[in-house]
Amino acid sequence: MIVKRGMLGLVLGTALLSATACLESEKAVSVTLPSVELNQIDSNGKYKEPVTLRIGYYTNLESKWPEGSNDSFSNNRYTQRLEDMLNIKFVHAFEYPLSDYAQRVSMLISGKDIPDFLLVTEAQFNILAKADMLEDMTSLYEQYASPLLKDVIQGSGPKLMRRVTFNGRMLGIPSTLPAHDSDGVVWIRQDWLRKVGIQLPEAITIDDVERVARAFIEQDPDGNGKDDTHGIQSTSSFLTGTIGLNTLDPYFGAFKAFPKSWIKDEEGRIAYGSTTANTKQALGKLSELYRAGLIDEDFGSVKPDQYAKDISAGKAGIGTGYTSAPMKLLADSVKNNPKAEWDAHYLVAPDGSFYTRQPDPLGRIMVVKKGAKHAEAIILAINVMADMDNSVPGTAPVYMDSPGTNWSVRPIQATFRKDNTLVNRFQRLKDAADGKLPLEQLPKSDRKIVEDYLKGFSELAASPQDWAYTLYQYRGGNAVLSPLNVPVYNEFYGMTDTMEEKWGNLLNLENESFMRIIVGDKPLDYFETFVSEWRKQGGDTITREVKKEIAKQK
């Protein structure tokens, strides 16, 4: 097929999975000719000669490869697809463990020794931008970003684009997190509930959790005749900005408390959620539960990567996490005991609402080192990622036979999803299971999920990852789709000047103060001392800066 010169830009600005069909149906479209020489790229948007991109990479020990495969972080189905479609190869400039990635990248930035392509945090992006170390992506983004990718980024509002813009120039490509990506739910073993004679609705209260925790500790739910089962658990990372694996985050939502978020207080003023009366009330209840022995006494010393140890061993029947938590939190429980049954419950506040703190829509930022060759190639690769992330029709699934192998093993370790991607998918899957939507109308990647769900969870237990993935989509999805679900958005995302200097110390003050209150090392009224110290050590200044930034955005 002969492609006119004016059409080449269109090919480069699509997801490239069905380029020929797109060109045939869009012949009237005229776009700006890309700056890349015509002899470098063929009519389907593929480089004629291999293009190699040096990129920073983190390794995640939780990643699971399909059984029997030889896949690796540097050579897998994602890298092969990008090479087949675009003739782009990725070489890892470094491989750091996920736990060390941010710190090691900061060290590279300090030494002005970054690779050509790198995912960075917003704070790291600001340092690089001020140091004039980044390639200007403004015109490249306009020329090469697909309509879908632009829709993804613009759909998160103008605030997102401002955060990757410096002195009027776009210096990075933002990855995105969709709404409800981290709604926090409480996962409870249903076979244990039957054993202790408790029935629960999907929506539960903090009093329900207290009752279940006490029963799980005292009534030998595992039936081994030993006093060895646990109630509420958490790791040392017990509080996050949204939700973590086996954290105490959902229990704060039960008091309409939103620590680590910028919110509007009862009088409509901007306030830091960790300093509000509702947060104090939540801490008081958690301290009460700890004194009653319902929260494990060693929770403050449990490392974050040990979040599933007691659940996997069949010694704990309550866990917290986002809707997708079963794959990491619960799968080994069923692997070790196929009779273990789990379900999602969500904690409601006294007003009956399930308050879900929404994630920052900005994930990490893809930046290009100033002067790097083929800066446009990273945008072409991201176009392909965006097609996958948004289930574009005709997009062949990747790793659907291995749900434990997720996007984090891609050469570009970020997602580019529309704001409503998750909600729409949960609704599609529910409608299909209820017979309201024919399977043929689902993306191929979704059909197996429905078929697995219709088999029943007991049938899926023989394949723990399939079981966990289906539990996530349906039971976790139910929590997202609940009419009680009230999303809570942060009033401010980003960093102010004083935050860059003092935020780390303030977070340490907060975490230490909250921990001491929960375990009883300090009385509840110590909360007032924390608030006073927080304000003195920079909190008041930061609050003023946040208010000014919010006013600018409006």
Side-chain angles (χ1 to χ4, degrees), residues 214 216-222 224-230 315:
R214 181 170 281 107
F216 282 1
I217 291 171
E218 297 175 353
Q219 297 184 33
D220 190 27
D222 62 350
N224 68 352
K226 298 179 181 180
D227 184 17
D228 61 353
T229 46
H230 305 290
K315 297 304 175 187

Side-chain angles (χ1 to χ4, degrees), residues 244-542:
L245 289 167
N246 249 351
T247 67
L248 300 178
D249 289 295
Y251 306 113
F252 284 85
F255 291 87
K256 205 175 178 179
F258 313 111
K260 300 191 187 298
S261 300
W262 292 96
I263 62 171
K264 288 185 178 179
D265 64 17
E266 299 287 337
E267 299 178 4
R269 299 173 301 190
I270 298 300
Y272 184 54
S274 298
T275 64
T276 64
N278 286 3
T279 294
K280 179 180 180 180
Q281 186 181 5
L283 287 170
K285 183 61 178 181
L286 290 169
S287 180
E288 176 187 321
L289 295 174
Y290 183 86
R291 290 196 307 272
L294 302 183
I295 297 177
D296 284 354
E297 62 179 11
D298 62 347
F299 86 92
S301 62
V302 177
K303 295 180 180 179
D305 61 359
Q306 294 179 309
Y307 54 82
K309 64 183 183 68
D310 292 323
I311 286 175
S312 299
K315 297 304 175 187
I318 302 174
T320 59
Y322 23 78
T323 52
S324 61
M327 290 179 289
K328 296 180 178 180
L329 187 67
L330 309 178
D332 283 345
S333 168
V334 172
K335 180 179 179 181
N336 295 330
N337 180 6
K339 294 184 179 180
E341 300 174 30
W342 292 85
D343 207 347
H345 299 269
Y346 42 90
L347 272 166
V348 296
D351 62 5
S353 294
F354 169 40
Y355 291 100
T356 55
R357 286 184 292 172
Q358 298 305 301
D360 184 347
L362 174 64
R364 283 197 171 101
I365 303 168
M366 175 57 68
V367 296
V368 181
K369 183 178 181 179
K370 191 170 185 178
K373 294 182 179 179
H374 294 296
E376 79 288 338
I378 199 70
I379 301 177
L380 299 182
I382 290 174
N383 288 338
V384 177
M385 301 297 103
D387 273 7
M388 295 179 185
D389 291 338
N390 294 281
S391 301
V392 169
T395 305
V398 178
Y399 288 117
M400 280 307 298
D401 59 330
S402 178
T405 311
N406 63 24
W407 57 266
S408 66
V409 303
R410 304 194 304 204
I412 300 173
Q413 295 170 295
T415 60
F416 303 86
R417 293 179 283 180
K418 290 184 179 180
D419 189 59
N420 60 0
T421 299
L422 276 181
V423 174
N424 288 348
R425 189 185 199 197
F426 289 144
Q427 190 63 58
R428 283 198 312 267
L429 293 173
K430 184 178 186 302
D431 289 345
D434 292 343
K436 298 178 181 179
L437 182 67
L439 278 178
E440 304 80 54
Q441 293 185 20
L442 292 178
K444 287 183 179 180
S445 57
D446 287 352
R447 295 175 195 172
K448 182 179 183 299
I449 301 171
V450 180
E451 292 168 351
D452 282 347
Y453 175 72
L454 294 176
K455 291 177 185 176
F457 288 108
S458 59
E459 291 295 320
L460 294 175
S463 177
Q465 281 299 320
D466 287 339
W467 172 89
Y469 195 66
T470 308
L471 191 70
Y472 152 45
Q473 298 293 344
Y474 278 94
R475 300 301 192 225
N478 283 347
V480 170
L481 297 175
S482 169
L484 302 178
N485 192 316
V486 178
V488 177
Y489 291 89
N490 206 328
E491 294 292 327
F492 174 75
Y493 297 105
M495 298 289 286
T496 68
D497 290 340
T498 304
M499 287 174 78
E500 290 184 6
E501 177 187 353
K502 298 186 176 182
W503 199 241
N505 289 335
L506 287 175
L507 286 177
N508 289 336
L509 170 67
E510 177 181 336
N511 293 335
E512 181 182 346
S513 298
F514 286 10
M515 175 69 77
R516 296 179 76 176
I517 290 172
I518 292 172
V519 303
D521 185 46
K522 290 290 185 180
L524 181 58
D525 284 344
Y526 182 73
F527 181 81
E528 309 305 334
T529 302
F530 152 70
V531 173
S532 177
E533 285 300 312
W534 184 88
R535 295 179 62 183
K536 289 178 183 177
Q537 294 182 30
D540 275 349
T541 302
I542 290 170

